[in-house]
mmCIF file of all heavy atoms in Angstrom:
data_model
loop_
_atom_site.group_PDB
_atom_site.id
_atom_site.type_symbol
_atom_site.label_atom_id
_atom_site.label_comp_id
_atom_site.label_asym_id
_atom_site.label_seq_id
_atom_site.Cartn_x
_atom_site.Cartn_y
_atom_site.Cartn_z
ATOM 1 N N ALA G 106 24.231 37.762 23.802
ATOM 2 C CA ALA G 106 23.978 36.466 23.184
ATOM 3 C C ALA G 106 24.240 35.348 24.186
ATOM 4 O O ALA G 106 25.056 35.484 25.094
ATOM 5 C CB ALA G 106 24.855 36.283 21.957
ATOM 6 N N ALA G 116 13.153 7.554 31.509
ATOM 7 C CA ALA G 116 13.146 6.140 31.154
ATOM 8 C C ALA G 116 12.905 5.942 29.664
ATOM 9 O O ALA G 116 12.108 6.649 29.061
ATOM 10 C CB ALA G 116 12.065 5.418 31.950
ATOM 11 N N GLY G 122 -0.009 2.501 33.013
ATOM 12 C CA GLY G 122 -0.599 2.510 34.340
ATOM 13 C C GLY G 122 0.383 2.839 35.453
ATOM 14 O O GLY G 122 0.015 2.893 36.619
ATOM 15 N N TYR G 127 10.342 12.621 33.785
ATOM 16 C CA TYR G 127 11.293 13.272 32.888
ATOM 17 C C TYR G 127 12.042 14.336 33.687
ATOM 18 O O TYR G 127 11.453 15.029 34.519
ATOM 19 C CB TYR G 127 10.575 13.996 31.737
ATOM 20 C CG TYR G 127 9.808 13.109 30.799
ATOM 21 C CD1 TYR G 127 8.420 13.116 30.788
ATOM 22 C CD2 TYR G 127 10.466 12.287 29.884
ATOM 23 C CE1 TYR G 127 7.702 12.324 29.906
ATOM 24 C CE2 TYR G 127 9.758 11.490 29.003
ATOM 25 C CZ TYR G 127 8.376 11.516 29.016
ATOM 26 O OH TYR G 127 7.673 10.730 28.134
ATOM 27 N N THR G 128 13.325 14.492 33.411
ATOM 28 C CA THR G 128 14.110 15.566 34.009
ATOM 29 C C THR G 128 14.679 16.409 32.875
ATOM 30 O O THR G 128 15.280 15.878 31.941
ATOM 31 C CB THR G 128 15.256 15.000 34.879
ATOM 32 O OG1 THR G 128 14.686 14.174 35.900
ATOM 33 C CG2 THR G 128 16.055 16.122 35.520
ATOM 34 N N VAL G 130 17.184 19.630 32.081
ATOM 35 C CA VAL G 130 18.221 20.512 32.612
ATOM 36 C C VAL G 130 18.555 21.527 31.529
ATOM 37 O O VAL G 130 18.910 21.153 30.406
ATOM 38 C CB VAL G 130 19.485 19.731 33.029
ATOM 39 C CG1 VAL G 130 20.565 20.692 33.518
ATOM 40 C CG2 VAL G 130 19.149 18.709 34.106
ATOM 41 N N GLN G 143 12.343 30.358 29.102
ATOM 42 C CA GLN G 143 11.075 29.616 29.115
ATOM 43 C C GLN G 143 11.284 28.222 28.536
ATOM 44 O O GLN G 143 11.971 28.057 27.538
ATOM 45 C CB GLN G 143 10.018 30.349 28.300
ATOM 46 C CG GLN G 143 8.717 29.573 28.155
ATOM 47 C CD GLN G 143 7.684 30.339 27.369
ATOM 48 O OE1 GLN G 143 7.077 31.256 27.886
ATOM 49 N NE2 GLN G 143 7.488 29.968 26.107
ATOM 50 N N VAL G 157 4.648 19.004 38.192
ATOM 51 C CA VAL G 157 5.826 19.667 37.649
ATOM 52 C C VAL G 157 6.482 20.489 38.750
ATOM 53 O O VAL G 157 5.797 21.228 39.471
ATOM 54 C CB VAL G 157 5.453 20.598 36.465
ATOM 55 C CG1 VAL G 157 6.695 21.199 35.835
ATOM 56 C CG2 VAL G 157 4.628 19.866 35.430
ATOM 57 N N SER G 167 0.417 22.561 32.184
ATOM 58 C CA SER G 167 0.547 22.422 30.733
ATOM 59 C C SER G 167 2.014 22.317 30.354
ATOM 60 O O SER G 167 2.377 22.288 29.189
ATOM 61 C CB SER G 167 -0.079 23.619 30.017
ATOM 62 O OG SER G 167 -1.445 23.691 30.310
ATOM 63 N N SER G 195 0.877 -2.027 24.454
ATOM 64 C CA SER G 195 2.254 -2.468 24.572
ATOM 65 C C SER G 195 2.940 -2.270 23.224
ATOM 66 O O SER G 195 2.367 -2.567 22.183
ATOM 67 C CB SER G 195 2.272 -3.945 24.977
ATOM 68 O OG SER G 195 3.570 -4.346 25.305
ATOM 69 N N THR G 202 9.030 15.916 23.522
ATOM 70 C CA THR G 202 9.973 16.940 23.083
ATOM 71 C C THR G 202 9.828 18.188 23.937
ATOM 72 O O THR G 202 8.713 18.634 24.204
ATOM 73 C CB THR G 202 9.725 17.294 21.603
ATOM 74 O OG1 THR G 202 9.857 16.097 20.825
ATOM 75 C CG2 THR G 202 10.703 18.339 21.104
ATOM 76 N N ALA G 203 10.946 18.752 24.345
ATOM 77 C CA ALA G 203 10.967 19.997 25.121
ATOM 78 C C ALA G 203 11.801 21.036 24.381
ATOM 79 O O ALA G 203 12.772 20.689 23.694
ATOM 80 C CB ALA G 203 11.544 19.753 26.505
ATOM 81 N N ARG G 204 11.392 22.315 24.538
ATOM 82 C CA ARG G 204 12.093 23.430 23.891
ATOM 83 C C ARG G 204 12.400 24.507 24.928
ATOM 84 O O ARG G 204 11.583 24.760 25.804
ATOM 85 C CB ARG G 204 11.222 24.049 22.802
ATOM 86 C CG ARG G 204 11.018 23.168 21.609
ATOM 87 C CD ARG G 204 10.004 23.758 20.612
ATOM 88 N NE ARG G 204 9.942 22.983 19.398
ATOM 89 C CZ ARG G 204 9.350 21.792 19.299
ATOM 90 N NH1 ARG G 204 8.780 21.259 20.331
ATOM 91 N NH2 ARG G 204 9.343 21.139 18.149
ATOM 92 N N ASN G 209 17.146 36.512 24.581
ATOM 93 C CA ASN G 209 18.471 36.809 24.049
ATOM 94 C C ASN G 209 18.660 36.256 22.648
ATOM 95 O O ASN G 209 17.890 35.423 22.193
ATOM 96 C CB ASN G 209 19.542 36.204 24.960
ATOM 97 C CG ASN G 209 19.458 36.731 26.360
ATOM 98 O OD1 ASN G 209 18.565 36.338 27.102
ATOM 99 N ND2 ASN G 209 20.358 37.609 26.732
ATOM 100 N N ASP G 219 15.156 19.089 22.709
ATOM 101 C CA ASP G 219 15.606 17.730 22.980
ATOM 102 C C ASP G 219 14.383 16.833 23.119
ATOM 103 O O ASP G 219 13.349 17.247 23.638
ATOM 104 C CB ASP G 219 16.451 17.654 24.256
ATOM 105 C CG ASP G 219 17.267 16.368 24.340
ATOM 106 O OD1 ASP G 219 17.390 15.651 23.324
ATOM 107 O OD2 ASP G 219 17.784 16.072 25.439
ATOM 108 N N SER G 220 14.511 15.618 22.609
ATOM 109 C CA SER G 220 13.413 14.640 22.643
ATOM 110 C C SER G 220 13.881 13.358 23.296
ATOM 111 O O SER G 220 15.072 13.050 23.307
ATOM 112 C CB SER G 220 12.929 14.320 21.222
ATOM 113 O OG SER G 220 12.394 15.464 20.617
ATOM 114 N N THR G 223 10.209 6.776 24.556
ATOM 115 C CA THR G 223 9.976 5.765 25.585
ATOM 116 C C THR G 223 9.041 4.706 25.021
ATOM 117 O O THR G 223 7.970 5.033 24.500
ATOM 118 C CB THR G 223 9.340 6.406 26.839
ATOM 119 O OG1 THR G 223 10.198 7.449 27.312
ATOM 120 C CG2 THR G 223 9.128 5.378 27.931
ATOM 121 N N VAL G 225 6.442 1.714 25.600
ATOM 122 C CA VAL G 225 5.505 1.333 26.657
ATOM 123 C C VAL G 225 5.237 -0.164 26.600
ATOM 124 O O VAL G 225 5.027 -0.733 25.527
ATOM 125 C CB VAL G 225 4.178 2.112 26.514
ATOM 126 C CG1 VAL G 225 3.158 1.663 27.551
ATOM 127 C CG2 VAL G 225 4.432 3.613 26.615
ATOM 128 N N SER G 228 1.270 -4.389 31.382
ATOM 129 C CA SER G 228 1.453 -5.410 32.410
ATOM 130 C C SER G 228 0.130 -5.583 33.139
ATOM 131 O O SER G 228 -0.412 -4.614 33.679
ATOM 132 C CB SER G 228 2.542 -4.963 33.382
ATOM 133 O OG SER G 228 2.668 -5.879 34.435
ATOM 134 N N LYS G 235 -14.290 -18.241 41.652
ATOM 135 C CA LYS G 235 -15.588 -18.852 41.376
ATOM 136 C C LYS G 235 -16.165 -19.335 42.701
ATOM 137 O O LYS G 235 -15.476 -19.978 43.490
ATOM 138 C CB LYS G 235 -15.434 -20.018 40.400
ATOM 139 C CG LYS G 235 -16.746 -20.674 40.007
ATOM 140 C CD LYS G 235 -16.485 -21.766 38.986
ATOM 141 C CE LYS G 235 -17.765 -22.424 38.543
ATOM 142 N NZ LYS G 235 -17.541 -23.474 37.550
ATOM 143 N N SER G 236 -17.419 -18.998 42.932
ATOM 144 C CA SER G 236 -18.092 -19.460 44.143
ATOM 145 C C SER G 236 -19.478 -19.972 43.768
ATOM 146 O O SER G 236 -20.032 -19.619 42.730
ATOM 147 C CB SER G 236 -18.190 -18.338 45.175
ATOM 148 O OG SER G 236 -18.901 -17.233 44.648
ATOM 149 N N VAL G 241 -23.981 -26.397 49.586
ATOM 150 C CA VAL G 241 -24.475 -27.774 49.596
ATOM 151 C C VAL G 241 -25.831 -27.778 48.907
ATOM 152 O O VAL G 241 -26.703 -26.962 49.220
ATOM 153 C CB VAL G 241 -24.616 -28.310 51.044
ATOM 154 C CG1 VAL G 241 -25.212 -29.712 51.048
ATOM 155 C CG2 VAL G 241 -23.263 -28.278 51.752
ATOM 156 N N VAL G 242 -26.032 -28.685 47.946
ATOM 157 C CA VAL G 242 -27.270 -28.733 47.170
ATOM 158 C C VAL G 242 -27.876 -30.130 47.306
ATOM 159 O O VAL G 242 -27.181 -31.130 47.162
ATOM 160 C CB VAL G 242 -26.998 -28.420 45.686
ATOM 161 C CG1 VAL G 242 -28.288 -28.465 44.884
ATOM 162 C CG2 VAL G 242 -26.315 -27.087 45.532
ATOM 163 N N ARG G 255 -10.937 -10.096 37.972
ATOM 164 C CA ARG G 255 -10.337 -8.802 38.339
ATOM 165 C C ARG G 255 -9.026 -8.603 37.588
ATOM 166 O O ARG G 255 -8.259 -9.542 37.406
ATOM 167 C CB ARG G 255 -10.015 -8.766 39.832
ATOM 168 C CG ARG G 255 -11.178 -8.662 40.717
ATOM 169 C CD ARG G 255 -10.707 -8.404 42.150
ATOM 170 N NE ARG G 255 -11.842 -8.374 43.020
ATOM 171 C CZ ARG G 255 -11.948 -9.056 44.137
ATOM 172 N NH1 ARG G 255 -10.964 -9.823 44.545
ATOM 173 N NH2 ARG G 255 -13.034 -8.972 44.865
ATOM 174 N N GLN G 257 -5.752 -6.620 38.293
ATOM 175 C CA GLN G 257 -5.038 -5.878 39.329
ATOM 176 C C GLN G 257 -3.910 -5.047 38.726
ATOM 177 O O GLN G 257 -3.041 -4.576 39.433
ATOM 178 C CB GLN G 257 -4.548 -6.852 40.397
ATOM 179 C CG GLN G 257 -5.724 -7.524 41.094
ATOM 180 C CD GLN G 257 -5.303 -8.559 42.115
ATOM 181 O OE1 GLN G 257 -4.160 -8.626 42.523
ATOM 182 N NE2 GLN G 257 -6.244 -9.370 42.530
ATOM 183 N N SER G 260 -1.882 -2.134 33.957
ATOM 184 C CA SER G 260 -2.354 -1.770 32.620
ATOM 185 C C SER G 260 -3.761 -2.304 32.372
ATOM 186 O O SER G 260 -4.253 -3.156 33.109
ATOM 187 C CB SER G 260 -1.405 -2.329 31.559
ATOM 188 O OG SER G 260 -0.073 -1.925 31.813
ATOM 189 N N SER G 264 -9.311 -7.821 25.738
ATOM 190 C CA SER G 264 -9.838 -9.061 25.161
ATOM 191 C C SER G 264 -9.835 -10.230 26.140
ATOM 192 O O SER G 264 -9.466 -11.347 25.789
ATOM 193 C CB SER G 264 -9.050 -9.427 23.904
ATOM 194 O OG SER G 264 -9.068 -8.366 22.966
#
Side-chain angles (χ1 to χ4, degrees):
Y127 296 109
T128 301
V130 177
Q143 174 179 284
V157 184
S167 299
S195 189
T202 302
R204 291 173 173 74
N209 301 75
D219 197 13
S220 296
T223 303
V225 176
S228 176
K235 183 177 181 179
S236 59
V241 177
V242 180
R255 288 189 183 130
Q257 296 177 15
S260 306
S264 304

